[in-house]
Amino acid sequence: MTGRTAPSGGSRPPLSLEEYAERARTRLDPAVWDFIEGGAGEERTLAANLAAFDRIRLSPRVLTGTGECDPSTTILGRRWGAPVAVAPMAYHTLMHPEGETATARAAGAAGLPLVVSTFAGRTYREIAAAAASPLWLQVYCFRDRDTTRRLIEHAAAAGFEALVLTVDTPRLGRRLRDLRNDFRLPPHIVPANLPADQADYSSPSEHGRTGLDPSLDWSVIAWLRSVSQLPVLVKGVMTAEDARRAIDSGVDGIVVSNHGGRQLDGAPATLDVLAPVAAAVDGRCPLLLDGGVRRGRDVLGALALGADAVLLGRPVLHGLAVAGGDGAAGVLDLVLEELSEAMTLTGTATVADADASLLTGEAPHRGVADAALPAVPGNTAATGLRKQDLHRSVSDPVLDTMNFLNEITGRFPDVVSFAPGRPYEEFFDKDEILDHIRRYLDHLAADGASDHAIRTALYQYGPTAGQIRGLIRDSLRADEGIDTAPEAIVVTVGAQEGMLLTLRALFANPADVLLVASPCYVGITGAASLLQVPVHPVEERADGLDVADVEAAVLAERARGRRPRAFYVVPDHSNPSGNTMSRRAREELLELAARHDLLILEDSPYRLVSPGVQLPTLKSMDPARRVIHLGSYAKSVFPSARVGFVVADQPVRDPSGAETLLADELAKIKSMVTVNTPALSQAAVAGALLACGGRLTERNAVPAKHYGEALRVTLEQLDRHFPEDVRDRLGIGWNRPSGGFFLTVRVPFPADNAALLRSAEDHGVIWTPMAYFYPGPGGERSIRLSFSYLSPAEIEEGIGRFAAFLRAEIERSGATGPTPGRDT
Ligand SMILES: Cc1cc2nc3c(=O)[nH]c(=O)nc-3n(C[C@H](O)[C@H](O)[C@H](O)COP(=O)(O)O)c2cc1C
């Protein structure tokens, strides 16, 4: 990031990108200047891009002890000197005869990638020869796909590492400056990688109209995959919805871009749409942004709003125009110098540390409609909060799924509900809870605790890791074959807190990915969303999880440069699918974990309330301590206690060689979350454990029988309403779990919220759309039925209503026959 020699024509090197722009303007032919500088229409969007960055205010933070900051980052498995790359721009040769080769040298010197335009003025081979950092190819899809395919093959052969498909250009925007100037490329400026004889390229707008394919849809991603192995990014996404579709289409990255204001005039500034797009992407792929980046601090602003990196457009052309490769290098150096300054003055040690806490004052997406904020009654000075200003997780649909169900249950109180995964209430005895607490106090006294110590245990803040760890250890030994020390246990506020603590501790860097069996319990994906942990779903097959699929996910993530850190699974009677992993699959999973240095997060709350003998827990099969076991007493004791625990016996070594257990580290985090699990709750659970000598299987013998019976009645009623030949004809099916609270019904129509509403309104029965449990697409034609909360008579009535709903819905949609798509 050293200053360069003064590009000729100025008394000193330009001190800002603005100065580079000014010097470039004086050097270039006015029509060429207009061509690079201009935007579409009235250039509102062009101006908005710049204005949005102008509104960013960063918080200076002092005495942070940050020292040297590190602006480097890793994208698609490659280290970049900073989260900046050069945006694809046509014809660098218009700025300087060396064109893209000069830019590639400059980018290489700064350790930054260059995205080379389809309309590059130099060949891909020449550019690659000059490059010392990653090259990506920007792809325009032509009507003639063969031309596009050849372009991609040439770039791949030259060593380009990724494809960036520009998706905002079914035609070129009306750029009035070019129209007024009747802009034509000089004869020597040609696209060096396109067939010279096939088109007249001299008028970019004219060629755009005749050459570009205006009818592209999302299937183009699959086409690109069919012609190239390279990762595919899409450039030009501006809405959360399109970002989701892009991810559903399997892209490897997204560039939020409005083409530097050159396409749809009136489109918002890219920075203004970044936060909602980032919320939708939720770390599932790299997210880049371009448009209006003109200073190093702009880079930091974009990162704070959720980008992983930015592309720099016009300023690089300005540098080239001013002094060729040296000028482009000067521009990049300046941006990196300013970024380093901004990071230091905001106490941002690394790129991963840049988050929304850096922002202060008016956020970029504010300003337009502040006046339209609803007034809060009775408080005229109230501050209206915008959802976009809150953490992106609050916009994550996963955090909302249960609200819809609760709302619908409230609206139709007389429905039979197969929605809640709740224990059957007839087993609750209102006096028992007091007996449990009494029993625990007596136990403490019998153990020799003084009155004073017992008072403290009950009334005072307690030990962070919990005060009933010994009893939990005994119970795990008796019931689960898990042999662990009390010190390896942290008592948590439900298993949910256990998930939060575990993810917080394990996921230290943005390249760490959580793999989850999918469909997946929303508690873990929700916690991942809160912590911005990227999630990679591994889809269960109809008969359960295939460990080969987990391995494929591990390898795919590695290939993307990310680190699969842990795999979350409910091995027994899974919520939501009801499937159980076989013993063989458990062994294979543990072998895989060892092979790939993967941790397993085992969550298994239904075992102890399921009939029959259970398969061994993963934790009990795990001498290598790869399994972190998340426990819950919600089903086996009662949910209101909100007591869970984590068995985290993994040794943790610090740089001095000192060793703790992962449980100790979780307790540190817990001390800042819930301080300790309420003593009253622990006392009640402890009393319940003492009552059965730690053998919760024995305590739950009757409930387990009940749940087994509820499952049997549910299956029997489904069989009765839909005998095999009928269900085959209608395209309905279901699995046959061996226990737990849930099963999966496959249907031949979309089982979405609209269908759920019809089911509640017209048939008086509620269920849960399986799609709620898919972190990505999937489950659209599946339903989760939960039978745990209902009596056999209610189940019988409810399945009758459910059957009527299924028949009505099949008739309504005209859909019968085998269910397309996924099975669970
Ligand atoms: C002269 C010029 C040519 C461009 N050519 C392309 C191109 O060939 N392909 C593409 O995807 N985007 C192209 N763009 C858009 C840029 O990649 C980028 O989206 C935009 O310039 C970023 O905004 P900024 O210039 O404000 O930094 C071009 C932009 C300019 C200014």
Side-chain angles (χ1 to χ4, degrees):
M1 292 185 213
T2 50
R4 285 184 182 254
T5 45
S8 57
S11 51
R12 54 163 171 73
L15 298 176
S16 65
L17 299 198
E18 202 175 348
E19 286 185 18
Y20 269 106
E22 190 44 33
R23 289 193 196 179
R25 190 179 63 75
T26 58
R27 280 161 179 266
L28 290 170
D29 174 321
V32 171
W33 170 255
D34 275 347
F35 170 65
I36 67 167
E37 217 48 25
E42 297 163 0
E43 302 188 344
R44 296 275 157 94
T45 297
L46 178 65
N49 280 349
L50 299 170
F53 278 107
D54 283 346
R55 286 201 298 275
I56 284 266
R57 296 289 175 271
L58 298 173
S59 289
R61 291 190 288 214
V62 300
L63 301 181
T64 55
T66 302
E68 283 291 305
C69 59
D70 173 9
S72 68
T73 190
T74 299
I75 306 270
L76 294 180
R78 293 281 259 135
R79 200 93 194 131
W80 297 13
V84 178
V86 179
M89 289 171 292
Y91 306 121
H92 292 202
T93 38
L94 265 177
M95 305 294 112
H96 190 276
E98 286 186 67
E100 287 80 2
T101 53
T103 319
R105 261 199 316 280
L112 306 180
L114 164 65
V115 189
V116 178
S117 168
T118 289
F119 292 103
R122 301 294 299 265
T123 66
Y124 299 147
R125 222 176 258 274
E126 291 168 330
I127 300 168
S133 52
L135 295 174
W136 291 358
L137 173 70
Q138 177 268 326
V139 179
Y140 278 127
C141 213
F142 294 109
R143 292 174 197 261
D144 172 13
R145 286 276 169 105
D146 255 5
T147 304
T148 313
R149 184 177 49 72
R150 273 196 296 276
L151 208 64
I152 293 170
E153 284 167 1
H154 289 159
F160 282 46
E161 297 179 18
L163 305 177
V164 181
L165 177 73
T166 300
V167 290
D168 57 13
T169 320
R171 56 172 283 173
L172 245 54
R174 288 186 72 238
R175 299 168 191 169
L176 304 189
R177 297 198 209 192
D178 293 347
L179 294 173
R180 282 188 201 112
N181 296 333
D182 189 21
F183 180 69
R184 306 254 145 200
L185 294 168
H188 66 285
I189 303 292
V190 287
N193 301 281
L194 291 173
D197 50 345
Q198 274 180 18
D200 174 8
Y201 302 104
S202 65
S203 161
S205 62
E206 194 54 37
H207 174 255
R209 192 163 37 249
T210 52
L212 299 179
D213 182 346
S215 63
L216 289 186
D217 61 24
W218 289 101
S219 65
V220 66
I221 308 294
W223 179 78
L224 283 174
R225 296 260 183 242
S226 74
V227 298
S228 171
Q229 306 271 320
L230 294 177
V232 176
L233 298 89
V234 282
K235 170 173 178 278
V237 166
M238 286 291 286
T239 65
E241 196 187 336
D242 278 345
R244 275 187 218 104
R245 295 198 66 170
I247 287 175
D248 293 350
S249 309
V251 302
D252 299 288
I254 291 176
V255 185
V256 173
S257 173
N258 53 30
H259 216 108
R262 291 159 82 84
Q263 285 300 107
L264 177 66
D265 194 32
T270 45
L271 199 66
D272 282 343
V273 300
L274 178 58
V277 171
V281 171
D282 196 20
R284 286 179 284 173
C285 67
L287 180 64
L288 289 78
L289 167 139
D290 74 16
V293 176
R294 296 294 177 269
R295 300 161 282 233
R297 68 171 152 89
D298 295 348
V299 181
L300 200 54
L303 297 189
L305 281 161
D308 295 309
V310 302
L311 305 182
L312 190 63
R314 294 176 181 88
V316 178
L317 298 183
H318 300 156
L320 270 180
V322 170
D326 274 357
V331 162
L332 296 175
D333 278 357
L334 204 49
V335 171
L336 298 201
E337 178 62 27
E338 289 171 350
L339 171 62
S340 165
E341 178 196 33
M343 287 178 75
T344 307
L345 297 183
T346 54
T348 310
T350 68
V351 166
D353 297 323
D355 60 21
S357 67
L358 280 173
L359 301 171
T360 181
E362 195 190 14
H365 38 276
R366 290 190 193 156
V368 194
D370 279 17
L373 273 179
V376 179
N379 183 359
T380 47
T383 310
L385 295 177
R386 286 169 178 274
K387 200 152 177 179
Q388 312 93 288
D389 298 339
L390 305 181
H391 185 257
R392 61 169 84 156
S393 60
V394 302
S395 303
D396 187 332
V398 81
L399 271 63
D400 242 359
T401 46
M402 293 310 148
N403 291 349
F404 183 75
L405 272 175
N406 291 341
E407 191 233 332
I408 213 172
T409 313
R411 265 167 65 194
F412 302 100
D414 296 329
V415 294
V416 177
S417 180
F418 288 100
R422 294 172 165 218
Y424 190 53
E425 293 198 354
E426 294 304 309
F427 296 123
F428 298 149
D429 173 340
K430 72 180 166 31
D431 294 326
E432 200 188 24
I433 204 166
L434 304 173
D435 297 342
H436 287 331
I437 294 174
R438 180 79 258 161
R439 191 176 306 106
Y440 178 57
L441 300 188
D442 291 347
H443 162 81
L444 291 180
D447 244 17
S450 65
D451 270 4
H452 179 257
I454 294 175
R455 276 207 322 269
T456 306
L458 205 56
Y459 284 96
Q460 199 46 285
Y461 293 109
T464 307
Q467 57 196 53
I468 61 168
R469 297 193 288 172
L471 292 172
I472 294 176
R473 186 268 318 266
D474 294 345
S475 172
L476 284 174
R477 243 187 220 159
D479 274 327
E480 302 283 32
I482 295 175
D483 200 1
T484 193
E487 294 71 34
I489 296 172
V490 182
V491 186
T492 54
V493 179
Q496 187 64 36
E497 192 197 18
M499 292 177 202
L500 194 81
L501 304 181
T502 308
L503 293 187
R504 180 62 300 152
L506 294 182
F507 288 77
N509 96 46
D512 291 342
V513 193
L514 174 68
L515 309 183
V516 298
S518 177
C520 182
Y521 172 56
V522 289
I524 187 78
T525 40
S529 171
L530 293 187
L531 299 173
Q532 290 171 229
V533 168
V535 167
H536 182 130
V538 180
E539 193 159 328
E540 276 185 14
R541 310 218 170 177
D543 56 348
L545 187 74
D546 187 331
V547 175
D549 295 338
V550 184
E551 181 147 43
V554 168
L555 296 176
E557 285 298 342
R558 289 255 170 79
R560 293 174 75 184
R562 304 210 286 191
R563 178 172 66 153
R565 188 80 168 103
F567 174 61
Y568 169 88
V569 64
V570 181
D572 307 280
H573 324 297
S574 166
N575 176 12
S577 71
N579 289 333
T580 292
M581 284 177 81
S582 67
R583 182 190 287 264
R584 181 75 206 112
R586 287 168 205 241
E587 288 162 359
E588 284 172 6
L589 184 62
L590 290 168
E591 283 160 22
L592 174 135
R595 237 180 5 262
H596 290 292
D597 192 17
L598 189 71
L599 290 161
I600 308 285
L601 308 185
E602 175 183 41
D603 180 11
S604 208
Y606 307 101
R607 297 168 53 79
L608 301 175
V609 290
S610 291
V613 179
Q614 305 299 305
L615 287 164
T617 55
L618 288 164
K619 185 71 198 154
S620 68
M621 302 166 67
D622 168 44
R625 304 200 211 173
R626 296 223 156 258
V627 178
I628 297 168
H629 182 86
L630 300 158
S632 163
Y633 291 114
K635 316 295 182 299
S636 56
V637 181
F638 53 87
S640 73
R642 306 300 308 119
V643 176
F645 60 91
V646 185
V647 181
D649 55 0
Q650 290 68 23
V652 176
R653 255 176 305 282
D654 77 9
S656 75
E659 208 169 90
T660 56
L661 291 178
L662 179 60
D664 299 316
E665 310 307 320
L666 299 186
K668 282 184 204 159
I669 300 172
K670 179 176 171 70
S671 73
M672 293 297 148
V673 182
T674 52
V675 183
N676 62 257
T677 301
L680 263 180
S681 289
Q682 293 191 65
V685 167
L689 292 176
L690 288 164
C692 61
R695 296 191 175 278
L696 287 173
T697 2
E698 277 171 26
R699 173 187 154 82
N700 283 296
V702 174
K705 198 158 165 260
H706 164 85
Y707 293 125
E709 182 60 11
L711 169 59
R712 192 191 61 72
V713 174
T714 309
L715 290 170
E716 180 187 87
Q717 290 303 312
L718 285 169
D719 289 342
R720 187 166 79 77
H721 286 280
F722 300 104
E724 214 155 325
D725 54 330
V726 177
R727 80 182 81 131
D728 286 352
R729 183 165 45 77
L730 294 178
I732 301 173
W734 50 87
N735 62 347
R736 293 182 173 273
S738 53
F741 286 11
F742 313 101
L743 60 81
T744 303
V745 178
R746 301 181 296 278
V747 295
F749 54 82
D752 52 15
N753 283 351
L756 176 56
L757 249 181
R758 285 192 292 276
S759 177
E761 226 160 27
D762 303 341
H763 301 280
V765 62
I766 292 182
W767 36 268
T768 312
M770 194 59 94
Y772 284 10
F773 303 101
Y774 278 78
E780 291 85 2
R781 288 162 191 262
S782 291
I783 283 172
R784 185 189 80 170
L785 284 191
S786 167
F787 42 80
S788 57
Y789 188 62
L790 302 172
S791 69
E794 288 168 325
I795 292 174
E796 199 173 329
E797 169 66 25
I799 294 293
R801 296 182 189 191
F802 183 63
F805 156 72
L806 291 185
R807 287 181 189 282
E809 202 66 16
I810 288 170
E811 192 166 325
R812 181 177 184 281
S813 62
T816 53
T819 315
R822 297 169 174 81
D823 248 352
T824 48

